[in-house]
Amino acid sequence: MELRLLKELVKRGEGEHVEFKLKSNHPEKIVREVVAFANTGGGKLFVGVGDDKTIKGLKDAEEDEYTLTKAIDKYIFPKINYKTERIPITPDRDVLVMTILRSVDKPHYVVDGTGNRQAYIRVEDKSIQASREMKEIMRRGRGERDVRFQYGEKEEKLMKLLGEKESVTVDLFAAFAGIPRKIASNTLVVMVLARILEVHPHEMIDKFTMSMAYQSS
């Protein structure tokens, strides 16, 4: 990447596919951004760039690269595809650019020292924890298989609810249909995979709406 392109990308600011980090001194937290990119649409992590878009660079980008690649190997499961490059901005400073590809093996997780694991996804300019539903959608959505389901009483109630409201949540659907939350969750996941619904992840609670493709069909 040329310095000119680097400056142009930084000028646009952070977003769904771009994240800035001034330093790599908390690699166990930075891997969350890496996982979020892999689980969503891919992206670029710029290390040596501040949130205010200042390009300060790193004095020893090679060391930062080593630290981050070790953290990625240690904390992320399953392994992800990525590449790194160092962009000189002055004779003694570089910006480290990590390009993370959209994964076909998602969901990927950050695994801590105790074995606990958490998946993250990218929503606008934030990396948030993936809900149970999002993890299931990622897991079961690998490939392009057609997803079929039986249209029954609970699906009919869901359509009725969506006719009254712009969006629904798992808990709202479960209460309205009088079914256990787990069944409501699975129903919504299947209908997202069948492209009848769209999911809108949020750090507080996911929302589900009718898909534009289904409405126009």
Side-chain angles (χ1 to χ4, degrees):
M1 181 185 296
E2 296 179 355
L3 180 57
R4 176 184 57 81
L5 178 57
L6 170 67
K7 290 181 177 179
E8 179 60 34
L9 291 174
V10 171
K11 185 178 179 181
R12 296 176 189 175
E14 292 180 312
E16 184 179 354
H17 304 287
V18 175
E19 175 73 21
F20 301 151
K21 293 294 180 185
L22 193 58
K23 301 177 181 179
S24 64
N25 50 347
H26 291 291
E28 71 283 356
K29 294 182 179 179
I30 294 179
V31 293
R32 298 176 185 176
E33 319 289 352
V34 176
V35 161
F37 283 140
N39 280 339
T40 315
K44 291 184 181 295
L45 175 67
F46 294 84
V47 186
V49 178
D51 290 338
D52 60 357
K53 304 180 186 178
T54 55
I55 304 176
K56 296 188 175 180
L58 305 164
K59 287 186 176 180
D60 191 349
E62 185 175 357
E63 182 177 340
D64 286 83
E65 182 177 352
Y66 176 79
T67 298
L68 289 176
T69 53
K70 290 289 286 185
I72 288 171
D73 289 340
K74 180 178 180 180
Y75 294 114
I76 296 179
F77 179 83
K79 302 299 183 184
I80 65 164
N81 292 319
Y82 68 97
K83 61 180 181 178
T84 63
E85 59 180 323
R86 298 191 290 270
I87 314 300
I89 59 169
T90 68
D92 62 345
R93 283 183 176 268
D94 303 288
V95 168
L96 175 63
V97 181
M98 306 192 77
T99 302
I100 299 95
L101 303 179
R102 179 180 182 177
S103 179
V104 296
D105 298 321
K106 54 190 177 183
H108 295 270
Y109 296 87
V110 176
V111 184
D112 64 22
T114 63
N116 292 324
R117 65 182 194 174
Q118 180 60 57
Y120 293 84
I121 56 174
R122 193 76 176 174
V123 177
E124 296 179 349
D125 62 349
K126 293 182 179 180
S127 297
I128 65 172
Q129 288 190 15
S131 65
R132 175 189 180 277
E133 289 71 37
M134 281 305 304
K135 287 183 281 189
E136 276 295 292
I137 289 168
M138 286 189 283
R139 184 181 68 82
R140 295 166 65 176
R142 296 170 184 160
E144 294 295 328
R145 312 186 288 274
D146 288 335
V147 176
R148 298 180 180 181
F149 65 95
Q150 186 174 357
Y151 189 89
E153 184 179 351
K154 62 182 183 299
E155 288 80 12
E156 185 177 346
K157 289 181 177 180
L158 175 59
M159 291 297 107
K160 181 180 179 181
L161 183 59
L162 281 167
E164 299 172 357
K165 298 183 177 296
E166 290 185 3
S167 64
V168 302
T169 64
V170 176
D171 290 328
L172 178 61
F173 172 42
F176 182 82
I179 57 178
R181 190 187 191 283
K182 187 173 182 179
I183 293 177
S185 171
N186 185 65
T187 301
L188 290 169
V189 166
V190 169
M191 294 185 78
V192 168
L193 294 171
R195 297 181 174 83
I196 294 173
L197 299 183
E198 291 180 2
V199 60
H200 306 274
H202 192 271
E203 54 189 331
M204 296 299 294
I205 190 167
D206 295 349
K207 294 183 178 181
F208 297 81
T209 63
M210 294 293 294
S211 73
M212 295 299 293
Y214 184 76
Q215 290 183 53
S216 60
S217 63

